[in-house]
Amino acid sequence: MALLTRFACRRAARVLCPSAFTAGDLRARLGAPPAKLRVTPLGVAPRFFERLSPAELQDFRRRSGLEAPYLLCVGERRPHKNLPGLIEAYARLSAGRQNPPRLAIVGRPYAGYRAPEALVERLGLGERVRFIDYIADADLPALYQAAELFCLLSRYEGFGLPVLEAMASGAPVIAAECGALPEVAGGAARLTPPADPEQTAAALAGLLTGGAERESAIAGGLERARQFTWERCARLTIAAYREALAA
């Protein structure tokens, strides 16, 4: 597969990348010619910016069983998503709090990988951590808007669209300081090392406390998310195709 991908990168007239990080990775790992690479960042759908009413959010909470306050992570439960790291950080956060918010991990399980579920059982967090395999696409704005905050500690992401969807929804964001996440967050997220549960727990506690740090994260996230539109993605993509046709 790697040989085929390397060949495709060299044969293609242009190679579209969702982030500058991905473009750099293609150069380093596959020898993709820099002159052929074009960064075409993804966009955030306008519906994530539209605020739902308290009644609509309450209806979602009731239907989804997320009636208690919750922290949120969205993504398929693959090893690189580093869910054990998030669960370890959550365990540290919970240990020092009365009635801590729950942790909702939303995304399909990955075949043969049960480390997150096993860790929750070992730490005795079964009543506080909830795995949700599926949420209807129409309910995603409510899922983000009802969350206390969003956290994605992936060890590798080529882009990280859920970070921007959470920001657009008004949720403060914590993200791993690796992969494309710092580039996508653009300083609007609290970045933590993916392998440092203590530091992540401190970041979670800081954003949950409220005050200036939380308000700054929410306002900065909204402004950052507005910079990513599908219209811009389409314009950059069309420009790359025109270059390819003229080459």
Side-chain angles (χ1 to χ4, degrees):
M1 179 63 72
L3 288 175
L4 287 175
T5 307
R6 185 185 299 270
F7 177 77
C9 283
R10 292 184 176 179
R11 290 284 294 171
R14 293 293 183 273
V15 179
L16 305 184
C17 310
S19 64
F21 169 81
T22 296
D25 221 22
L26 290 178
R27 291 196 302 270
R29 295 173 182 268
L30 300 177
K36 294 184 176 183
L37 301 175
R38 295 293 179 271
V39 177
T40 55
L42 307 182
V44 184
R47 64 195 179 102
F48 288 101
F49 294 94
E50 299 169 359
R51 292 296 168 261
L52 299 172
S53 70
E56 289 172 317
L57 289 177
Q58 185 58 38
D59 176 65
F60 165 75
R61 286 179 175 277
R62 179 186 54 77
R63 289 186 289 104
S64 62
L66 293 170
E67 295 178 286
Y70 63 92
L71 316 181
L72 176 64
C73 180
V74 175
E76 190 175 19
R77 302 202 293 270
R78 290 175 175 266
H80 75 277
K81 295 292 184 180
N82 190 30
L83 293 175
L86 173 58
I87 293 164
E88 290 277 8
Y90 175 73
R92 286 163 169 76
L93 174 77
S94 300
R97 286 176 172 257
Q98 276 192 330
N99 299 319
R102 305 296 193 258
L103 173 60
I105 296 174
V106 179
R108 294 178 300 177
Y110 185 58
Y113 180 68
R114 297 282 298 174
E117 294 88 341
L119 181 59
V120 166
E121 183 176 352
R122 180 167 64 82
L123 295 176
L125 294 173
E127 294 184 0
R128 296 180 180 177
V129 178
R130 182 171 174 199
F131 294 98
I132 301 175
D133 295 351
Y134 174 79
I135 288 284
D137 185 69
D139 280 333
L140 283 178
L143 175 71
Y144 287 115
Q145 288 184 36
E148 298 296 308
L149 59 78
F150 178 84
C151 187
L152 184 63
L153 295 182
S154 298
R155 297 180 184 277
Y156 186 97
E157 290 287 346
F159 189 72
L161 186 58
V163 163
L164 293 176
E165 292 176 343
M167 288 179 171
S169 302
V173 171
I174 294 170
E177 56 181 9
C178 61
L181 295 179
E183 175 187 344
V184 170
R190 177 80 177 269
L191 300 179
T192 65
D196 191 335
E198 289 289 350
Q199 200 170 137
T200 300
L204 291 169
L207 289 181
L208 281 172
T209 300
E213 183 181 7
R214 181 178 175 88
E215 293 305 313
S216 176
I218 292 172
L222 282 168
E223 181 59 31
R224 181 61 176 169
R226 289 190 183 103
Q227 298 174 29
F228 292 82
T229 68
W230 286 112
E231 181 182 0
R232 175 186 175 220
C233 179
R235 287 200 310 269
L236 293 171
T237 301
I238 291 170
Y241 270 90
R242 284 174 174 164
E243 287 183 10
L245 292 171

